[in-house]
Structure formats: structure tokens, C-alpha cells
Amino acid sequence: MSKTSPPTAAAEAGFATMVAAYNTMNHYGRTNGMTLTVPMPGEAEYRMSIREEHLSSPNTCHGGVLAGLMDATLGAAALSLAFVHQEFVSTVEFKMNFLHAVHLHDALVAKGIVDHTGNTLVVSSCVVYRVAEGQPDVAVARGLGTFNRYPANKRDFAKLMIQ
């Protein structure tokens, strides 16, 4: 994420460990049935299926569920890149557009990517797709987020990595 210094080999080697630790401690994602994969630093993908507890009206998903998925994916993309530089991120703001309704049992895939990194901020974008085998993917939401970068030693998360 630094404009001048590429990640060290040691930082890249610790990347997978940090992602695994994050998945272990991410109660929000687990509680909501979200599964995170990180294809590479700066990219993130969450998958989830809409369950009854996600509904706000008969058969229709609450927008807050999609907002949570969006924020998690935008943040995970930024965080995955931050990990390489021994940093964390926190959400400054995000916006999203709801494009289509989401219903009970819909399978969703949210794909996030870092678009820009600066000295203190990271900007990432995301598209949430409804996916069904044998059918074209449908974009149900799009979003953009801004995240603050800070050193990992400011949080106890770094201590978890040592244990």
C-alpha cells in the first residue's frame, strides 16, 4: 500500500496467516453465513445465501443485510492489501446503490477490489451479484468505500498473530 516501498517477502508470507486469523475472529461474517476468500492482496470475495433471518418482508432481504455484506467486502479488499504492509483499515464511509431485490435462498457473491491507495486512505469498490447455476449473474448492488490506514500495532490483533 505504500507508494514507495513494496511488501517484503516476510510480509507476503504472513499474509495467508493474517487472513486465516481474520476469518477465525470475524464473528459478524460467520453469524451471517458469509464466507471470505482473498484471491490476492487488494481483492476480496464474500459468498452468502439469504436465510429467513435476513428477511424484512415476506421473501425479501432487508437492505441492511446487503449493506453489511457490501461494507465487509469493501473493507476486506482494503484490509487484505493492508495486511501485506502490517497495517489495518477502518471504514471512513461507504455508499451503495441497490439495483435489484434479493429474495430468500438467493446465493450472493460480492467482489471487492482496491481502486486507490494513498498515504492515509484506501478506496475500494464492490459489486454484489445474485448467482444461480445455468443463469447469468445479476448485479444486485454496487458500492464504493473509503478506509483509513493505520499500523497493526495499534490493535490487539497483532498479538493474536504471535500466539
Side-chain angles (χ1 to χ4, degrees):
M1 280 178 37
S2 170
K3 293 179 180 179
T4 58
S5 61
T8 64
E12 288 181 358
F15 173 75
T17 302
M18 293 182 87
V19 170
Y22 178 73
N23 271 328
T24 299
M25 66 189 313
N26 182 3
H27 300 289
Y28 178 80
R30 199 168 36 260
T31 299
N32 283 287
M34 298 164 50
T35 305
L36 173 66
T37 57
V38 180
M40 62 184 295
E43 295 181 12
E45 181 178 294
Y46 264 111
R47 291 180 177 270
M48 73 178 291
S49 291
I50 301 303
R51 305 182 307 217
E52 264 189 55
E53 59 264 34
H54 298 139
L55 303 180
S56 61
S57 62
N59 204 37
T60 304
C61 179
H62 189 282
V65 174
L66 291 177
L69 176 62
M70 178 68 66
D71 183 37
T73 307
L74 291 165
L79 184 62
S80 71
L81 190 58
F83 279 168
V84 174
H85 296 278
Q86 304 297 302
E87 293 178 327
F88 292 121
V89 297
S90 58
T91 305
V92 173
E93 64 85 29
F94 82 94
K95 72 165 283 290
M96 70 182 291
N97 299 110
F98 297 94
L99 306 173
H100 293 282
V102 174
H103 302 286
L104 181 63
H105 305 302
D106 279 353
L108 303 178
V109 176
K111 297 181 179 187
I113 188 166
V114 170
D115 298 314
H116 172 78
T117 61
N119 291 329
T120 58
L121 297 177
V122 178
V123 177
S124 55
S125 58
C126 174
V127 180
V128 178
Y129 298 95
R130 178 176 46 234
V131 297
E133 194 170 324
Q135 297 179 17
D137 296 350
V138 175
V140 297
R142 292 183 180 274
L144 183 71
T146 305
F147 300 84
N148 181 52
R149 296 171 53 177
Y150 60 92
N153 62 6
K154 283 193 168 185
R155 297 286 176 152
D156 290 338
F157 185 83
K159 292 177 185 174
L160 294 172
M161 301 308 302
I162 299 169
Q163 296 176 359

